[in-house]
Each structure stands twice: as C-alpha cells, then as structure tokens.
Amino acid sequence: MYWLVGSLVIIAMMGVLAVADNVAMPIDMPLLNVVSATGLLWLLVIFAIILLSATQLNSPSVNTQSTNKTRSVSSPNDVKLSLFSKYFLFGLLAIGLVVGSALQALVAHQQAETTKITDSIRVQALVRIEGISDSVYDASTDSGYRQVAVVTHLMPLVAELTPQDLANSTSDYSKEENNSLSKSYNESSDKNLNNSIEYRVLLNAYPKNTSNDDSFSNLNDLQPGDELFMSLALVPLSTSKQAISNPSGFDSYRWLRGRHIDGVANILAVSPLTVSKSNNDEALQQASTSDSYFKRFRTRIDIGRWQLRDHFYRDWPAQTIAEQQARAVTLSLLTGDRSLINRDTKDLYQLAGISHLLAISGTHVLFLAIVLGGAVVLLFNRLCPVVYRDMPRWQVRWWVMIGAAFIYALFTGFDVPAARTAWMLLAIGLVRLTLLPISTMRVLLALAVLMAWQDPYVLWQAGYWLSFIAVALLLKYEGTLYQRNTAAPPLPYNDDNGRAYISNVLFRRALQIAQRIFKLQFWLFLTLLPITLLLFGKASLWGLIVNLFAIGLFGWVIVPLNLLAGLFYLLSPTIADSIWSLVSAIVGNLHELIGWLTSLPALTDAWLYTPVNMAILLMVLLSVVPWLLPRGLLSRWLALPPLTLLMMTVYANQQSMITMPTLYILPTGDPYISAALLKFPLHNQSVSNSKDGSSLAKDNTSWLFLADHRPTATRTMPSNLTADKLSVSLEQQLGSLSVDKLEGIIVQSSSTVLTDTLNASEQNMVVSAKNSELLPLAVAQLNQQLPVSQYWQAGRSERWSAFQQASKIAAQSKGKTNISAQGCEQGKTWQVASGDLSIQAMTGWSEIGDTSVWDCTIAIDSSVPIQVLRYNAADPLKSLSVNSQTKIADNQLDTDHKKYSLSRLVLDTDTHPRVWQMWSLLCSADSNNDSMRFKNITWLGHSASQMTTDVISRQSINDIITYDDKPLEASLSLNIINNGVDAEAMSP
C-alpha cells in the first residue's frame, strides 16, 4: 500500500501538469484563490503522517497470548467490521493524499500562469542577478551569456538607450536608495509602469559583431546580487508544442518552467555601473530588507561560487583548448558550474555515456560529509571526549555530516541529486534517532513525494527521475547481493599451504570485486535504459564500457582530490592550484583516451535510437516488477507476457517507420534552411546505379534533401547555423528514424565556394561565402559518420575534391572514403528497376553562366502516395502530418488523373524567378504531357519561393505544402481549400 499510494501521488501530479499545460484553463478560479500552496503542503504532510501512524499501529503483534485472547473474545462480525473500518480509513486518507497532491500541482501551475510574460515588449528595467550564469560571454568562441535574473521597475522603451543612458538611470536609482527622503524617482517610475511588477527571466546575450559587444563583455563581471539597469526585449516562453521545430527535440519550455522562469529577456544594452557590489558586506545589508536570511546566506554562497569560477577563468585565453576544457570539467566536478564547458566536450561525454559524471551527484556530497564528519569525530576523540557524555558519537558525526551536506549542496546550486542526498542523510538519521521501523527504500520514496509536493515542477526535470531511480536500483541491488554473500559458504582453510590459501583468497576476492562491478554496471545500464531513451531519445552503448573505469576514476581519484583542493583553497590557494593542476592533467588524459576510443572505426555506431513512449515504459516496469518484489510474492513467469508484448511493440514501431513511404521534414533551426528525408520501402527490389548501370538488391532506400531558400532579391538575416550543428542534428535525427546509411544526398542550392569559374561580383550576387559553404560542409561531415552512395550538388562543383579534403583535415578525420559530387542538372534521373520510385531533376542549368538558374528542383515519382510528416524530435513516433492547401481541380482533369496510379512529389528550390522562367521556355511542353500520368501531384517548398500561379497550373499541382508552414503567395489567387492552415496566417 505504501508504494501504491506514493506512485498514485506522483502519477496524479504528472497528469495534472500535463493536462493543465495542454488545455487552456481560466486563471481566476475561486478554489485556487482560497488554497495556499504552503498551507496545502503542510496539510498533505499531516495526512501522510496520520496514514503512516495508522499503518504502524495496525501492524500484527508478536504477542501470541494476547492474540489468542482477542480471537476468543471477538466475533467474526466484529472482526469484519474492524477490518472494513480500518481499510475504509486507509482508503479515505489515501484518496485525500492523491486528490490533495493533484490540487497542489494545479495550484503551482496557476501560480506560474499568473506570473509569466504574455506579450513581447521592449523595456528598461532594473535587473537583479540571481546565482551564477549558465555560460560566459566570449565573442572569440561565439559563446553567449545566459543568466537567471529578476527584473523590476519596468518602463516601456520608446527609444534606443545607450549604455551611458542606463548608467545615468543606475546612478539616479543609487542616489534614491541612499536618500530615502527623496521620492522623485519612484513617483516618475510609477507614472510609467507599476513597479510592483516583477518577472524572473533568463537573460540572453550573444555575439553579433555590433557596437554593444564591448559592453556585453562586462556581463561576465556581474556577481550574484548585483543590480543594474538594462534595456531588454522581453519574450514569452515557447510552448511544448514548439519543441517539434527544435532539431534536438529539447523541450526548452519545460526546462525553463522547471527553473521557475517567467520569460526570456534578450539584452539590448547594459549599464556599465551597478547599484551595489555584492561582495561588500554593507551592500548586502542594505540590499532588499525584505529578503529572508536564507536568501542573503545563499547569495553569499553564490558569490563564493562566482569567485571560484573567476579563479579558474584567469589566463583563460593563454591556455590551449584541451587545457581549458580539463579545467572546465574540474570546476564542474567541484561546484556544478558547467559554464566553461564547450559543446564538443559535452558531446564527448554524451557519446561516452558518462555525462552524468559532470553533475554533482550524491557521491560528491556524501564523500565530503563523511570526510568532515570523521575529521570532527577524530578531533573530539583527541581533544574533547567529554562531549560524548551528552551526545553519542554517531550523533556528533551525523550532525556534522548534515551541516556539511546542506552547505555543499547549496554551494553546488542545490540541484536535485545534491538536495536528495542532504535530505536523505537527515531522514535516515531521524529514523535511527526515533527507532522507527522504516526501511531506506521507503525513506527514498517519501523524500521523492515530499520534493514533488514542495515543487511540482521538479517532476519535469530529468535529474529528478534519474537520481531517485538510480538510488532505488542501487539499494535493491545491494540488498540482493548481501543476501547472496551471506548465503555463500566460506573458502575452506588448508593448514599445510598458508601462502596458497592467502593467494587464492586474494584472487577470489579480486575476481568477486570485478564481477560485482561489471554486474552492477550491467544492471544499472539495462534498468536505466528505458527511462534514458524516454527522457533523451537516445543512449550511448559506450556507457557500458567506459563507466567500468570512469566511475572508479572519478569516484576514488578525481573527486576526492578535487574536494581536497577545494578545502585547501580556503587556507592556501597556492596548494589548491597545485592539486587542481594534477586533477586537470588526469582529466585531460582521460579526454584523450575517450576521444581515441570513440574514434575507432569499428565502434563508431555507438548511439542507440529506439523511440520510447509511456506505453513501452509501462511494459518495462511490468516486466521488472516480479524481480523487484520479494522472492515468492509473485511468480517471475508473470513477467513473460509484458516482456513479449514489449518486444512486439518495439518491433512494430520499427516496422511502421519503413513499411509506409514517408518524407520527413526535419527541423534545422534556421527558417530558410530545409532538410527532408525520404524513406521508401523496396521489398528486396533492385535499384539502378547511376554510375555504371548495375543493380543492387535493397530492402529500403533513403535520400536526404538539403536546400537554402534565401531569396537573392530580398535582404534576410544571415544564418547563425553552422555546419557542425547541422550535421550533428541531422545525424541524430537520422539515427532516431533507424537510418544507418543513405542512398544519396541532394543539395538543391548552388554553392559558390565549389566553383572557381565565377568572378567576385557574380559570387556576391548569390549568397555570402559563409552561407554558401554551409550545406556542402555539412555533407562532408555526414559522409564521415554514415555511408553515402551518391551526392548530387546543384550548380558547378569542380572544387569539391579540394573542399572535401580541407574539411577532413580541419576535422582531423581519418580512415573515411571520399565521395564524389555529381551535378544536379535538369533531366538527371535515379530509379529502381521496377519503376516504383524515381528521382529526377526538373531544373538546374549549370552550363549557363548565370547562377540564378542553377538551383535544382527535384521530382519524386512513386507508385504509391508518399505521406509527408513534420518530424517530431521529442517523439519521432508522433511525427505529425503537415498542413496543406488543396487545389480544387477541374472535374474532367480530375477524372483523367484517377486513371493513373503514379504520384509525384515536387521538392522546389528557387531563389530567383529566372529558374521557373527558364523551365517555362525549355520544359513546359514536356511537363504538361508528364503531369497527365500522375494521380496526384504535391508541391513542397518554401513560402519565399518564386513559384508563379502559371507554373502551378502548368504542372497540375493538387496539394501545396511549405517547409515553414506559411502560405505560398502564388497560391492565394487559386481556388484552394485550406487543410489546417490558420486563417491569420493566410491573410496577406
């Protein structure tokens, strides 16, 4: 019953948050206005204590004599009535806990809704820094500044403010704070906007090569508690539905909501002056008298974290990247500050399956608490043993461990793993102090429920689930291992050969330790695999190997030395720097070893992409339950039905991705860069090789289409997307769709960096060199990660070989074969032998010395219709159908088209009107005859396409789909039916 009630409480809270997040609910609800989150929390705690007390009081007695007397006196009806009343009381309390928990989650959601930013607005605001920043501002590495802050004194921005204007506002505010008699500033502020409005936002500032870059570099000097004026662009949080457009599938909305962020604030200008420096004790006393002592204490701890980061950040540019990242990881292992770790290092740890080691876990907190507790007890033993007359030795150690655990957890940001360890120490000590018969596993469940009650949004944090589930699995594993060890017979002793006996014992003990480590790692890997796939969508198979030595290296060498250096830093920074240099050297060598292991050609495919949803996770839990319960309670054969159903479901999900011809529109993070993946089942048919005309037997084929749709005649924002980001996101998306090889990649946009037959003026007419090399460089990087048979490139590509070789040298890639570039010219065709699928180029004339007609539009002809889905990175199995515009065709034409079974999907790329003008002159007549052979013709392109109404009519296009989900201008004058397109989006 204990586990049932706890599980129902957490499930109810998760369900309420999920429903409230997806369903529009009124903010002003009478019940929620009466209920207080704090009062409801204490009420739930009281209900839980009553339920626990009732279950303990009704436990069976060990006094058999009293039991026999009771049985002789009580009648069967009295016993039934007693049992009914007892279970009725338990059920009533359990229902109260579940309903109250759901109400607590609803109250938390409504409070977040009332404080969130709803509209975008530019303001001048007083900003108070909270904690340390998530990253540092560095224009040389294109690293942005992200910082949680509280903004008040909001005034609408009617004109652009300079840093000097903001400095004047900061100075005036400082004078007002120092002179409480003057009220001019507050009165003028009240006239503009209510100063009581307060938002907790995430500040963002990224290098843009503007005049503000110099002032933005001072953002790294802001300490926790600093106050200054900034001009900001406040933006509401994106919803979870918008996570579909995120290439990685990361749900930023839930991540920010879990941190209680009300909105995003993009920094426009920064004051060079601050109201008060937080490292000044007088400033701390004057700052915000309404702040509690705990907030001021935490601000002091955050200042210590900032000072330690500043210590590590000294002489940063003078170090190599490897040295920088070794020191960055060292700092992360000490304070949980990952601001100095770059994307490559994070990817390396993710690929190795040891990214969990970068977080401050219970091991760090527990190790420091044990060391300090043992040191204090040792001092009392030597200097003041009389203390033990009033307090037992274990209580002295316990109190020291609790204090050290909570202070260090606060110093590391009080994240879920560190907080869980500190509260566990307190709870287990209280259980021992009160002699309550409560197991450690039940304490863990109670703590999980209490943390959810205190902050329901903690259920949206991956660290919450991984932390508690991992500890529960460890406790279960240790309990099982202890039972086996106590039941194992000891090794017989032989007096004749003592040395052989000792050697045999040592060898057996070492073998047992090795087996125990491997079994533990294998146990954790398999049991955490479903939840890892559910939370992150992928899992690294390298984790099973790397963790075997990495956990021991971190737990027994790196972390103890790091904590020892942190203690010495308080006494002698010189000694601490020496220890940190040793730790950084060890971490640097570890990075080199992991980099070498993960680069082995035979072991490059280390990612496991298997879409997991709640149904699959439920089947996994049902399969594991018989092994988690005590032996004999449930037959372990009962795990066979859910395990069989699990295997069938996973197989069905994988087959559903390859049995239906599908074109996935992949998100890239750039509104003008498109990526589309075609997956077409062939059923062991043969495909024609365009190089030599030979045939190859395949089960399915996959093609990737890339294009840049920025129009040449219109000024657009340059792309912030890099080839590294694009190739990494594409590789992950292809892996999640079970694509381990590509038949071909088609880049439909021409690239001026691949040709040397154009002069500088012609190159500038097309696109900048940075944007021009984006897609070819991404192709070169993808070719190093998975096999690609063909590469079609729009325009001229005579410099492709040199470009590909230069990219391999820059990436230090070895052992991969090169791929040749074929021209994507009008009329080029690829098809399967049966004719069920063919791919041909409709446009593209690179022989003409005009880059405006080089773009290559692709036509995909198939015997069955190809469904077009918008890829959902968070859950590929739930990829949604796209919005389309259906043209109402002429009845006679519609009847003629139904005679044919072929379908055509046109992937349009045109950045200049001359492309379709050339097509109308050269290919229009042939296209009219070809279009009559197709039952349905679907057009897929960008809303900025240069496609005209005349071309749409000539191609007999039935459905129109856009990559950016906006209406095509040329289709507005046609007789169409809107399928799912918003009316507002259709307005010109």
Side-chain angles (χ1 to χ4, degrees):
M1 182 177 181
Y2 189 93
W3 289 95
L4 178 62
V5 174
S7 302
L8 289 177
V9 163
I10 294 179
I11 292 174
M13 297 182 73
M14 291 180 60
V16 168
L17 289 178
V19 172
D21 185 49
N22 295 320
V23 178
M25 303 181 63
I27 298 178
D28 296 331
M29 298 179 65
L31 178 62
L32 298 181
N33 294 331
V34 177
V35 177
S36 170
T38 305
L40 188 57
L41 172 62
W42 285 109
L43 184 63
L44 290 172
V45 172
I46 293 173
F47 265 61
I49 293 175
I50 295 176
L51 181 61
L52 289 175
S53 302
T55 55
Q56 291 296 329
L57 292 176
N58 284 274
S59 59
S61 175
V62 296
N63 192 340
T64 57
Q65 295 181 357
S66 62
T67 303
N68 293 332
K69 292 179 180 180
T70 303
R71 287 178 179 176
S72 62
V73 174
S74 301
S75 64
N77 293 330
D78 294 336
V79 173
K80 292 181 180 180
L81 182 62
S82 176
L83 290 176
F84 175 78
S85 61
K86 180 180 68 173
Y87 286 116
F88 178 78
L89 177 62
F90 289 167
L92 193 63
L93 290 173
I95 293 174
L97 282 177
V98 175
V99 174
S101 301
L103 186 60
Q104 179 77 342
L106 187 59
V107 170
H109 172 77
Q110 293 302 99
Q111 289 178 349
E113 287 293 312
T114 55
T115 59
K116 72 176 183 179
I117 298 175
T118 56
D119 299 315
S120 300
I121 185 175
R122 293 193 172 197
V123 297
Q124 172 190 329
L126 179 66
V127 178
R128 184 174 73 249
I129 304 299
E130 280 196 1
I132 61 175
S133 61
D134 295 338
S135 59
V136 295
Y137 187 89
D138 189 355
S140 61
T141 59
D142 202 25
S143 174
Y145 176 81
R146 295 188 302 275
Q147 170 72 60
V148 178
V150 176
V151 295
T152 56
H153 296 80
L154 279 72
M155 292 182 290
L157 197 63
V158 295
E160 184 177 355
L161 298 179
T162 64
Q164 185 58 42
D165 296 332
L166 295 172
N168 295 335
S169 300
T170 304
S171 179
D172 294 341
Y173 181 82
S174 299
K175 293 178 181 179
E176 171 63 24
E177 288 294 303
N178 295 328
N179 185 9
S180 59
L181 297 178
S182 174
K183 299 182 179 180
S184 60
Y185 186 87
N186 287 335
E187 292 177 355
S188 63
S189 300
D190 291 336
K191 293 179 181 179
N192 290 281
L193 199 63
N194 188 1
N195 288 338
S196 63
I197 296 179
E198 179 178 294
Y199 294 118
R200 194 167 185 265
V201 299
L202 179 67
L203 299 176
N204 287 327
Y206 295 95
K208 297 181 180 179
N209 298 323
T210 62
S211 58
N212 289 331
D213 282 356
D214 294 336
S215 61
F216 285 175
S217 61
N218 297 327
L219 292 171
N220 296 332
D221 298 329
L222 295 178
Q223 301 184 26
D226 278 353
E227 294 182 343
L228 73 163
F229 275 91
M230 296 182 183
S231 58
L232 307 169
L234 300 181
V235 182
L237 296 179
S238 301
T239 62
S240 291
K241 296 180 180 179
Q242 294 173 328
I244 297 177
S245 60
N246 191 329
S248 63
F250 175 68
D251 195 341
S252 60
Y253 170 76
R254 291 199 170 192
W255 182 74
L256 292 173
R257 267 294 179 90
R259 302 178 70 182
H260 301 284
I261 303 297
D262 300 324
V264 177
N266 298 316
I267 301 177
L268 304 177
V270 185
S271 169
L273 301 178
T274 58
V275 175
S276 61
K277 284 293 183 181
S278 297
N279 56 357
N280 191 343
D281 294 338
E282 183 180 355
L284 279 173
Q285 295 176 1
Q286 295 178 355
S288 185
T289 57
S290 62
D291 287 347
S292 63
Y293 174 78
F294 174 76
K295 288 185 177 181
R296 293 196 298 269
F297 176 70
R298 184 160 187 176
T299 300
R300 291 180 181 272
I301 291 180
D302 289 334
I303 292 174
R305 296 183 69 195
W306 182 90
Q307 291 173 345
L308 191 58
R309 179 210 286 178
D310 185 65
H311 181 79
F312 272 77
Y313 199 59
R314 292 174 184 173
D315 301 329
W316 192 259
Q319 302 174 6
T320 63
I321 296 180
E323 294 173 346
Q324 290 177 355
Q325 293 310 299
R327 290 180 62 85
V329 171
T330 303
L331 176 64
S332 175
L333 295 174
L334 182 63
T335 66
D337 183 4
R338 303 189 189 183
S339 59
L340 302 181
I341 303 178
N342 60 20
R343 183 71 263 171
D344 293 337
T345 303
K346 293 179 181 178
D347 292 340
L348 179 65
Y349 274 75
Q350 289 180 1
L351 181 59
I354 57 173
S355 56
H356 60 93
L357 297 178
L358 292 176
I360 298 298
S361 62
T363 305
H364 301 71
V365 180
L366 189 61
F367 182 85
L368 182 63
I370 291 175
V371 170
L372 292 181
V376 171
V377 169
L378 182 62
L379 289 177
F380 281 170
N381 290 341
R382 296 290 183 88
L383 303 179
C384 190
V386 71
V387 174
Y388 299 138
R389 294 180 179 179
D390 301 323
M391 184 180 297
R393 181 181 283 107
W394 76 267
Q395 291 188 17
V396 174
R397 182 184 292 107
W398 176 56
W399 283 112
V400 174
M401 290 176 64
I402 289 177
F406 274 98
I407 292 177
Y408 185 60
L410 286 172
F411 189 74
T412 57
F414 213 70
D415 290 334
V416 173
R420 184 256 310 154
T421 304
W423 288 113
M424 277 285 289
L425 282 175
L426 178 61
I428 292 176
L430 290 176
V431 169
R432 181 178 178 183
L433 189 65
T434 55
L435 301 178
L436 292 175
I438 301 177
S439 63
T440 306
M441 191 73 81
R442 290 189 173 186
V443 172
L444 183 68
L445 178 62
L447 185 58
V449 172
L450 285 174
M451 292 186 69
W453 283 346
Q454 194 273 332
D455 181 14
Y457 280 108
V458 78
L459 297 172
W460 281 0
Q461 297 184 22
Y464 173 85
W465 295 102
L466 292 177
S467 176
F468 280 100
I469 293 177
V471 173
L473 292 173
L474 283 173
L475 292 175
K476 179 63 180 178
Y477 179 83
E478 289 295 331
T480 305
L481 185 65
Y482 176 78
Q483 295 176 359
R484 292 179 180 177
N485 290 339
T486 54
L491 190 67
Y493 178 73
N494 188 0
D495 295 333
D496 298 334
N497 196 349
R499 292 184 178 180
Y501 172 78
I502 295 175
S503 300
N504 194 10
V505 169
L506 293 177
F507 176 77
R508 184 175 179 179
R509 182 64 57 85
L511 184 61
Q512 288 178 349
I513 293 175
Q515 291 178 347
R516 180 180 178 183
I517 293 175
F518 180 78
K519 288 181 179 179
L520 175 60
Q521 178 57 36
F522 191 74
W523 160 267
L524 289 177
F525 180 82
L526 290 182
T527 50
L528 289 177
L529 185 60
I531 191 68
T532 302
L533 291 172
L534 179 65
L535 293 174
F536 305 107
K538 62 179 181 178
S540 175
L541 300 179
W542 270 109
L544 186 60
I545 300 175
V546 178
N547 277 289
L548 291 175
F549 64 87
I551 291 179
L553 180 63
F554 276 82
W556 294 101
V557 179
I558 296 177
V559 171
L561 288 176
N562 210 8
L563 293 175
L564 181 64
L567 295 176
F568 270 108
Y569 179 75
L570 302 175
L571 305 174
S572 175
T574 304
I575 299 178
D577 287 337
S578 301
I579 302 177
W580 276 326
S581 298
L582 175 60
V583 174
S584 298
I586 297 174
V587 172
N589 291 328
L590 177 64
H591 289 175
E592 293 181 0
L593 176 60
I594 296 176
W596 175 78
L597 286 175
T598 54
S599 63
L600 294 177
L603 302 173
T604 53
D605 298 331
W607 288 114
L608 175 63
Y609 298 97
T610 301
V612 173
N613 50 28
M614 293 303 298
I616 294 179
L617 186 62
L618 180 61
M619 286 182 280
V620 172
L621 292 177
L622 292 177
S623 303
V624 176
V625 162
W627 272 270
L628 296 180
L629 296 177
R631 184 185 295 272
L633 185 61
L634 285 178
S635 174
R636 294 186 174 178
W637 287 102
L638 293 176
L640 187 60
L643 186 61
T644 304
L645 183 61
L646 173 64
M647 297 174 61
M648 294 174 60
T649 303
V650 173
Y651 178 77
N653 290 338
Q654 295 294 331
Q655 290 299 313
S656 65
M657 291 186 175
I658 61 176
T659 55
M660 177 70 69
T662 306
L663 183 84
Y664 292 94
I665 299 177
L666 307 177
T668 61
D670 188 300
Y672 289 100
I673 302 295
S674 68
L677 174 69
L678 173 65
K679 294 190 64 179
F680 196 93
L682 299 177
H683 307 291
N684 292 321
Q685 297 180 19
S686 59
V687 300
S688 62
N689 194 323
S690 60
K691 293 182 180 181
D692 53 11
S694 60
S695 298
L696 299 174
K698 294 186 177 182
D699 295 332
N700 60 82
T701 184
S702 300
W703 283 78
L704 180 64
F705 305 91
L706 304 174
D708 188 346
H709 300 273
R710 279 178 171 78
T712 57
T714 306
R715 293 190 60 183
T716 59
M717 291 294 293
S719 176
N720 293 324
L721 187 65
T722 63
D724 293 335
K725 294 179 181 179
L726 180 59
S727 61
V728 170
S729 63
L730 288 176
E731 181 187 358
Q732 178 175 343
Q733 292 164 2
L734 295 178
S736 64
L737 294 173
S738 303
V739 176
D740 54 1
K741 58 183 177 181
L742 289 171
E743 176 63 30
I745 300 179
I746 300 179
V747 177
Q748 300 177 251
S749 305
S750 60
S751 177
T752 57
V753 299
L754 299 182
T755 179
D756 51 8
T757 58
L758 294 177
N759 55 42
S761 61
E762 289 176 323
Q763 292 185 13
N764 292 332
M765 287 176 59
V766 185
V767 72
S768 66
K770 180 180 179 180
N771 293 340
S772 177
E773 70 178 10
L774 172 63
L775 298 182
L777 187 57
V779 172
Q781 294 179 359
L782 276 177
N783 185 49
Q784 307 304 316
Q785 303 300 327
L786 70 164
V788 181
S789 301
Q790 303 180 51
Y791 167 40
W792 296 9
Q793 172 64 52
R796 300 174 183 175
S797 55
E798 58 268 13
R799 296 186 63 241
W800 164 249
S801 299
F803 182 84
Q804 181 178 214
Q805 190 64 27
S807 65
K808 291 181 62 176
I809 295 175
Q812 298 180 354
S813 178
K814 300 179 181 179
K816 296 291 184 178
T817 58
N818 294 331
I819 184 173
S820 60
Q822 306 175 38
C824 189
E825 301 286 336
Q826 190 275 329
K828 184 177 180 61
T829 304
W830 175 93
Q831 65 179 1
V832 297
S834 62
D836 290 340
L837 175 67
S838 67
I839 299 175
Q840 61 176 322
M842 296 179 61
T843 64
W845 297 272
S846 62
E847 66 273 8
I848 300 176
D850 186 355
T851 56
S852 62
V853 297
W854 288 4
D855 292 335
C856 184
T857 295
I858 296 296
I860 304 174
D861 301 337
S862 59
S863 58
V864 292
I866 299 176
Q867 63 174 345
V868 182
L869 301 179
R870 198 169 298 277
Y871 173 80
N872 185 352
D875 190 353
L877 292 177
K878 295 183 179 180
S879 297
L880 303 176
S881 300
V882 296
N883 298 327
S884 64
Q885 301 169 261
T886 303
K887 178 183 176 183
I888 302 178
D890 180 74
N891 292 333
Q892 181 62 36
L893 291 176
D894 186 59
T895 303
D896 294 339
H897 286 184
K898 288 183 179 180
K899 298 178 182 179
Y900 302 96
S901 59
L902 292 179
S903 297
R904 167 168 284 189
L905 177 60
V906 179
L907 304 185
D908 178 35
T909 301
D910 48 40
T911 58
H912 199 279
R914 293 194 189 123
V915 174
W916 291 114
Q917 292 172 5
M918 181 68 68
W919 178 86
S920 300
L921 292 174
L922 301 179
C923 310
S924 177
D926 296 336
S927 178
N928 290 335
N929 297 328
D930 292 340
S931 62
M932 298 301 298
R933 300 186 298 110
F934 300 103
K935 181 180 180 180
N936 182 74
I937 300 179
T938 302
W939 179 92
L940 173 60
H942 199 272
S943 61
S945 171
Q946 307 298 322
M947 175 77 76
T948 63
T949 305
D950 178 65
V951 175
I952 294 177
S953 301
R954 291 189 180 187
Q955 294 187 17
S956 302
I957 293 175
N958 307 106
D959 297 317
I960 298 176
I961 304 172
T962 56
Y963 287 108
D964 53 348
D965 209 15
K966 295 180 181 179
L968 180 66
E969 183 178 356
S971 66
L972 297 178
S973 60
L974 297 175
N975 190 16
I976 61 174
I977 299 176
N978 303 321
N979 299 329
V981 181
D982 297 335
E984 296 180 358
M986 290 296 297
S987 60

